[in-house]
Every structure is written in C-alpha cells, then in structure tokens.
Amino acid sequence: MTDLSEEQHNALQQYLDSIDEQTGKRGLRYFEQAKVKHLENDKQGAGVRAEVTGTKRYRVTLHFVEGEWDGECSCPMEFDCKHCVAVALQALALGEKEATAAKPEPPVVAQVVARRERPQRSAEAAVVVLMADRLGRKLSLEEKRAADAVDKLYQSHRHGRYITEMMLEPITRIRTGWGWNSVQVWPQEPRTPWEAWLYVAGYLRQRKHACPPALLAVTDWTEVEALTAEWERQQSVERWGTYLQDLAVRAESAPPETASLRVRLEEKGVQLEWQKAGAAQFVSIKVNAFARLASSAQQGQLPLDEPSLAVWRVFYTGYDSRPFRDYTEPDTARVLNQFFRLPGFEDRVVGPLGTPFIRATDRLQWHLDSTGDKKIDYRIALVLPDGSAPPPALTIIDGTPSLYITADTIFEGPPLGRLSPAQGAITVPAEALETSDGLTLLERIGVPPPPRIASRVRTVRWRAVFRCAVKKDGFGSSERMILNVTAEDTAGKVLAKYLRETWSAPALKADAAGTLTRHDRSALSLVPGLMEGLRVNWDPYDSQWHRQMGKNFAAQFTEWLATVPEGVTLELDPLLDSLRGAPIAAQVKLEVEEAGVDWFDLRVALGVEDTTLTPEEIRMLLDARGGFVRLGEKGWRRLQFQLSEDDEKQLADLGLNARDFSSEPQRLHALQLAGKKAARRMLPEPQALAIERRASEIQTRVMPELPAGLRAELRPYQLEGFHFLAYLSTNHFGGILADDMGLGKTVQALAWLLWLRSLPDFAGRATLVVCPKSVTDNWLSEGAKFAPGLRVKVLAKGPAAEADLKAARTGADLVVLNYAQLRSLEKALTSAPWHAVILDEAQYIKNPDSQSAKAAWALRAEHRLALSGTPIENRLLDLWSIMGFAMPGVLGKRNAFAKSFDQRSDPFARTRLAARVRPFVLRRTKGEVAKDLPERTEEDLLCELDGEQATLYRAELKRARAALLNIKTSKELDKKRFNILTSLLRLRQICCHPALVSDKAANAE
C-alpha cells in the first residue's frame, strides 16, 4: 500500500469523525483484534480495499473522491459500517508506521476515533445539515433524500401555500399514484426548516407512516409535542363536534318508514319502482334515491318490507347505480330469469299498465316456411298452436323453457338457439340455411328440416376417442399417463381435439353439390364427465392431458374403465391395456410345517394357469392380496382365487380369509386345524393326519387330578373348565373363562391356582386378582370356603393401599384389589412380576382406550386369565381388548382386526374369529350344562347361606307376607304379588350367586 497524502490523511480522520459513536467503538474493537486482512490500494481509482473477518469474511472499499472518503462493504449495512471503520483505522496506522519508524502509541488510535464537538449552527440552517450534526455522521442517501424533501417543503410552502401527498413521498416512502390530494401538515407557516421538520415528524407519527428510522431516532419528541399539541387537540375537538352534531340530528329525526319495491317492464327495458309509506301508488325511483338505497343496503339499514328486500337483492348488482335496465344489457336477462322463474315475485313484477302478468296455457312453437321462386328465403317465427302470431313481445328470455313476454302475458316456448324473434318472423336466405350449420340451428331449436332439403341430409356421427399411453419423465425416475382426446367420424378421421375443457376443431370441408351434412355431436357430451373421473391435468407445454402414476393408479384406472360407456372408443398402449385383462385364476393349496410345540406355520401354495409367471412374480401377486402388481413389460396383473362359497366357509372354520393370503406364514394351533374339512381337503394327507394326532394328544395330555387343597366337589362342566385352565398353563397360553353367571367361575379359578402352586416350577410369587369393588369380599369368603390353604388378602382402601401392597406381595398367596386401585397403583403393580393375574368381570377393560385396559395390559405374570359372565359375542372391540390382556398379539393390531373381522362386509367374519380364539376361550351357558345343575329347595338355599344372608332372606319373606295380608282387591293383588315375587326371586339369585351382585354393581358404575 502506498503512503497516504496529507490531504487524504486529514480527510480520513474527518471521515472517522462523521461515523456515529457506537459504530466507531465496534470498528475500533475489530481493528485492535487484527481482523483487517490484505489491505491494498484500490485498482479502480484513489482509495484502499481490504477484507475484514467478522461473522463472515466481508470485502471493504474506501473511495477518495473530491477530497472526501466514502466506505462500501459487502455486509448487510452496505456502507459506513464497523468494517469500514476498522479498515480506515488500519490505513491510518500503516501510514503512521511508514512515516515514522517508531511504533505508534495506542492514544493515537484512540485520538483518531475521538468525536469532535458539534459545531454551532444558525436557526435558519437546513434540515440536512442539522440532521448530520445530530447523527454525528454523514447522512445515507435515503436519509439525505428525506431531509432534502423537508427543506423543499419549507421553501415551496412559502411560495405555493399548499402541500400535496406527492411532495411527501421522499419522506414517507409511500407511492400515492397521482398524489395531487392536498394535506395539512402544519396549522401555520413554520418559522425555520427545523420547525418544519418537527411538524412533519408529528404528521408521520399521527398517521403511522414510515420514514428513515435514524431521523426519527434523533428527534426530540418533547419539541414536537410542544409545537403540535394544541393544534392536534383543536382538531380533535372539531371532529368530535361534527360527529356529535350529526348524531343529535339523527336522534331527533324519525326513523324512515318502510317502502315497497316492484319491477315494471316497459317498452325498452326494466324500471325499478317504489311505493313509500302512505303513498297511493308506485312511482319510478330516481337515480339519487336509488343511490341512497344502495348506501343504506351497505349499512344494513335498508328501509324495505320483506318481499321488497328479495326484489332488491335480485335487481341490485352491487356496482350499477341505475334504477333502469335496458333489455339489451347482458345482466338484464339474469335479473328477469330470477323474477319470472323463482316463486314469490308474482305480484312484484308488472307490465307497462302496472298489472301483474298472466301465465298463458298455450305454448309457443317454431314455424318454418319458404317464400320466393328463384331466390328462396325461409321465415322462422314463434306462433301459437293454431298458427296465429302471438302479441308483440317486450322481450324474450332464453332458457328451458324460453319465456315470451308481452305487455300482459307470459308465454312459454321452445329453445331460441340465440335467435331474437321479439320483433316477429326472422328471414333467413336459403343459401345460409341450407348448409350443415343451418341444419345444426334447426336441430337446436327443435324444427325438422323442410321437405326441400330433408332428402339431401347426410348424418355424420361424431365419436369420442381416448388414447392413453405411459411415458417416462425426462429423468426416467417416474412415469406419467399421457392422454389425447379427439372427436372422429366412423372412418377414423379426426374432426376436433379436446383442449382445456373445450373442443378445437378445424374448418370442415364444404358439402358436395346437392348434399347437406348433419354433424351429430351428442356423444361428445360424455367427455367432460369422463375427464373428471380420470383426474388428469392439462400440460400447456406439450399441449396434452396427463396424470402422475402413483401406487393407486392401477386400481383407480380400472375403476374408471368400468365407467366408460359403449359410445366412447378407448385406445390403450399394451401396458395400460393389461389392466383390462381378466385376473389370473389361482387354485389354493395349503402347506404346513411345525413351528414349536403344538403350533404350525401354514403357507399358501398357489396353482396358476399362467405358465409365464416366475415364482418371484407369483409371490408378489400373492402379497398384493388381490391388488394389482406391475410386472415389468408384462403390465399389471392381479390374482383371483378360485374358491366356491363352501371353500370360503371351510377356510373361515380355520380362521383364514383369502383376502389376507400372502407369502408370509400364518401361525395356527393344532386345535385350530384339527377336525376341519378345509385342512383335510387342502393339506397333504400325511400333514393332516399328523395334526389330528397332535390335537388328540393335547386333549388327553392335560387332564390333571384336582389339587389336594380344594374343599369342593366340582360338577362335570366345572371339572372340564379346570382342565381347560390347566391346558392353557401347560401350553403357556392366557385365556378367557366365559361361563354364564352362576356357573362357578370362581371355584374353577381357585382349583386352577391350587394346582399351579403344586407344580415343581412354582416360584413362590403371589397371584393378583382384579375385580369390581363389590366382589372383593366374595373372593375372600370363597377362598376361605373352597381353598382354606390360600392366604387371601383384600387390599386396603385409600392412601394405605400402596404400603399394604408391598406387604401383601410376600405375606399373601392371593392379593385382591379393585379396578380403581389397578389404575391408581399401576406403577407399583407393574414393578415386579406376579405368578398369575386374574381379571374378574373382565368386561371392565372392554374399552381399549381406557386407563384400566392399558394398566391391565402392562401387568407382568407367568399366567393370565380373564373371567367374564357377559357374552363375548356382543362387540368385536370388547373381545380384542380382553384378548389383548390374555394373549397379547394373537388377534393382531387393532385396525387390521376391525377390518378383517367386520361381518358387515364379510359373512364368514365371525366364523373365522371363533376359529382364531377357540384354543383360548371356554364359553358355556346354563342351558348347555343344565343336566349338571342340581334341583334345589328353599331349605337347601337356607343351609348354604351364611347368617347375614339367611337373615336378609327371612326378613324379605316376612315383609312379603305382611304386604299380601294388606291387599283388598283382586286387581291390587295381581300387581302386588307380581312385584313381591320378582323381589324374592332377585333376592334368591343374589344369595345363591354372589357374582350377580358384582354384575349389578358394575352396571351401576
């Protein structure tokens, strides 16, 4: 870097003096930290450049032009930033070093950035100068532009005496268009430029306008308020005075009375009329009155009765302020269509004489005749059924039907086809009508061609052709379906193309001499609906329709193919054409292999007719579960299993559904496969026989003797239930004992627990029983009665429960608690495993989203048992939730379970479900085990009851006898006897079967 001249040195010090204090301190810190790199002379001209390392590496250039320094930087501030200060300090330091051999002392640098005292300026100084003094630096370009604008305002107002919005644009930075609106910035002419700025600053703050922020930051707002406070208050007083005066006038004036509106059809157009309150007749609304109504409508204060409000909503478009509409205006037809076709306006639309219109019973029709000899003309006219002409029309409204409106009558007629027959017959030269387009017109208005040309008509039927092909995108990563839709004749000639929801057709060739061509385009009306169903988009670059081919494309395209009617031609490339092919027929065979003790993995082996398919392709088709699979150039294929209704039922007996078949095996228990017709028919004979033997071994293998500690004689069905529970434990299953209430589920469970504790692998852990509050004492009494060797502990209630639980784990064999305690003590209950967990009245966890269900699933135990007297067939989700506790995962995930076993769409769903849960559920009703239930007398009942129950029963019986003695009439006797007998029967059931009490309590909860 070359030496700085004395002039450059002094100017650089002046440049640093103009920088604000905060920026100077930051630049000094960058300089002291040696963050300035590669300082050199600027090659573009006088100046220096360097790099400064901040959050990034910034490029700084200092220019020396006309005796002054300017700084530019690549940082967001762009100029006169801390990086520019650091470079300037570095340039000064190097200049000092080169001038003297001695190292400059630190005070030299500090002196460089020292701020000079603000010079004293006169009161008439410009705002540009005063702002630079206040900021302690040069103004930026935007700041200088705003300050110059204030100075110009001060000078121009002294000559022009007004200020416009355009003059404020350099200050507010708001584009105002023409900006000729005059604004008041000050109440009187400012005395100095600075006073002008204070007024402008107050104007900006009041209207929340923007301005270079530095100018507002150095403004003393106490000066602004002292100058403008009185003026602003005076303005506020004036505004409020005007508002309150207007409010008082409105309050004194009476509210406007409601008026009535109607529409009168005149010779040239439609006139809106009104009848004010108390007026004798309707009169035309003037333009000014119409404008007042429009203003009232915008404020929600339209003074009209209810029918007139409907007239206003139809007539007023929101932008037209005229109460008269010419018949030739496009919007008039819309207005009249609503007035004449919607109900409720019959007495609000009148003719020129002010009377409502009459609806004619005779319907108009088109009449066509020819006149002339050499040069023939055709006359087309609307006539009455008798051929006579209708009265002159005020206007005709096209539609279905068209409306022919005269001075007092409305006639319905055929479509107009854009003809305007209001003035009578329409004359069309034969040279124009005897063409293909002329035939199209006659067809649209429903008039047969005249005999003169009928024999020369040749009909060309247009057909819609859809051409679909698969095309790879430019990079080959994805594919699109390309679609072109054309209209063609029977010979395949393209007559039109469907582009952007419209038909683009070239000019048709002229007819041959003596021939007229009628183009039947009726088939093209199907195209818009088919395009909507195909979900395609228009590509303006390639001028064609297309859609991306996602994973559901094949299924959606196949559904669309089924909607294409016969009148539409489809041309598909081979890939898409494969979607129209028949499914691949597949014969179902089953294979099994052992997957553990008593468990088998069942696989589906298919026999397909298509010999070109590889084993891998067959696996892919099987995993698609009947859906489409893309097999390379072979196109899309899908499987269809050749299964009869009987086959479906047999698979359901195995718990299988053809829709769920895949290459993954399904694990089934031997008991699920044994004795099933489908297994014997679809499995190889040796495998079927092996499964039958295994199932018979299971049933004979798990039939232990009753444990020695049981003090009860089990009935045959109860012994069967005990063996079922032992079978579950032997195979490490959980399960559900779902006997009817009163069949002794508790005693069966107690026998099972005693047997488990007698096994050699018993670990000594306690068993947990979760039941409703009303049943906890029943487990205590039943345990003492039938299994006195078990130490039964009912958990204490309230805050002491957790401490009681810790002691019960080691001091009891059977810990009993209720479902509320299960929720509150979940963390303590799941902290260590239990020997077994029993959920009594397991329907308490039928809702899988409940806290009780989630807490039950989290329990850890070697054996799990759910007891429920409520039939498990009630609701699918109930069973899934209970099985989620007893045998987690055996019924799959919740969503898949609901879909697979939904009987609304699958008649075999419940059969399959029963097959899946059969090894884990035992369900008996009272009717099924009736032969094993003993006859019981009242004395037997009293002998079985404990003292409290017997006392309750005798007291109820005594009350019933006393009630019978007080009966006086036979009618009262029948009703009273019925109530008493019902009460006694219920009491007997409660005493005999305490489980019923829990059922009643559960329902109450």
Side-chain angles (χ1 to χ4, degrees), residues 33 61 71 136 140 239 274 289 395 402 408 430 448 468 491 495 521 579 696 749 830 852 858 910 983 986:
Q33 294 174 356
T61 303
S140 68
R239 286 195 301 270
W274 66 349
T395 185
S402 61
D408 55 5
C468 306
L495 303 175
R521 299 178 174 85
L579 291 170
S696 62
T830 57
S852 296
R910 289 302 176 93
S983 176
R986 181 62 180 164

Side-chain angles (χ1 to χ4, degrees), residues 167 180 242 472 476 536 791:
M167 300 168 86
W180 295 112
T242 303
K472 287 191 175 182
V536 290
R791 296 171 296 171

Side-chain angles (χ1 to χ4, degrees), residues 811-932:
D813 301 319
L814 201 62
V815 180
V816 183
L817 51 82
N818 58 57
Y819 283 96
Q821 292 173 318
L822 170 65
R823 296 189 295 269
S824 62
L825 300 175
E826 177 182 355
K827 187 174 181 181
L829 292 170
T830 57
S831 61
W834 300 86
H835 180 54
V837 173
I838 300 175
L839 297 188
D840 194 3
E841 303 292 345
Q843 65 270 16
Y844 270 72
I845 67 164
K846 66 182 180 180
N847 180 6
D849 296 322
S850 66
Q851 187 180 349
S852 296
K854 294 175 182 177
W857 296 341
L859 294 171
R860 294 185 292 159
E862 296 178 36
H863 308 283
R864 294 168 174 258
L865 176 62
L867 304 177
S868 176
T870 302
I872 62 174
E873 296 89 351
N874 286 348
R875 197 168 69 115
L876 276 178
L877 200 59
D878 298 1
L879 177 60
W880 183 87
S881 184
I882 296 173
M883 286 298 294
F885 159 77
M887 280 290 287
V890 75
L891 292 181
K893 295 187 179 297
R894 177 175 176 175
N895 292 339
F897 170 80
K899 183 178 179 181
S900 298
F901 298 102
D902 185 0
Q903 63 178 353
R904 292 173 297 180
S905 59
D906 186 353
F908 302 116
R910 289 302 176 93
T911 304
R912 293 199 317 276
L913 179 59
R916 285 294 179 96
V917 302
R918 186 177 295 114
F920 319 111
V921 178
L922 182 62
R923 165 85 175 127
R924 278 89 56 87
T925 65
K926 289 182 179 178
E928 292 171 348
V929 299
K931 63 181 184 302
D932 296 328

Side-chain angles (χ1 to χ4, degrees), residues 753-825:
L753 292 177
L754 289 171
W755 175 74
L756 286 177
R757 297 178 67 83
S758 67
L759 297 178
D761 59 350
F762 175 57
R765 288 191 289 265
T767 293
L768 178 67
V769 175
V770 185
C771 60
K773 294 178 182 178
S774 56
V775 187
T776 53
D777 291 337
N778 182 61
W779 276 92
L780 184 63
S781 60
E782 295 277 303
K785 182 176 181 180
F786 299 124
L790 290 178
R791 296 171 296 171
V792 181
K793 170 65 177 177
V794 176
L795 206 62
K797 299 178 182 178
E802 187 166 359
D804 203 20
L805 176 63
K806 293 181 180 179
R809 278 187 179 273
T810 56
D813 301 319
L814 201 62
V815 180
V816 183
L817 51 82
N818 58 57
Y819 283 96
Q821 292 173 318
L822 170 65
R823 296 189 295 269
S824 62
L825 300 175

Side-chain angles (χ1 to χ4, degrees), residues 343-385:
F345 296 104
E346 291 80 7
D347 61 342
R348 294 287 170 160
V349 183
V350 298
L353 300 179
T355 56
F357 287 94
I358 300 171
R359 294 273 179 170
T361 56
D362 293 332
R363 184 185 179 93
L364 300 181
Q365 59 191 25
W366 286 109
H367 176 69
L368 175 69
D369 60 5
S370 59
T371 61
D373 297 327
K374 294 182 179 180
K375 292 186 176 181
I376 298 175
D377 292 331
Y378 287 96
R379 296 177 71 254
I380 306 175
L382 286 173
V383 298
L384 292 167

Side-chain angles (χ1 to χ4, degrees), residues 680-692:
R680 290 193 296 267
R681 188 174 71 81
M682 296 184 179
L683 287 174
E685 185 177 357
Q687 293 180 345
L689 293 175
I691 292 172
E692 295 287 347

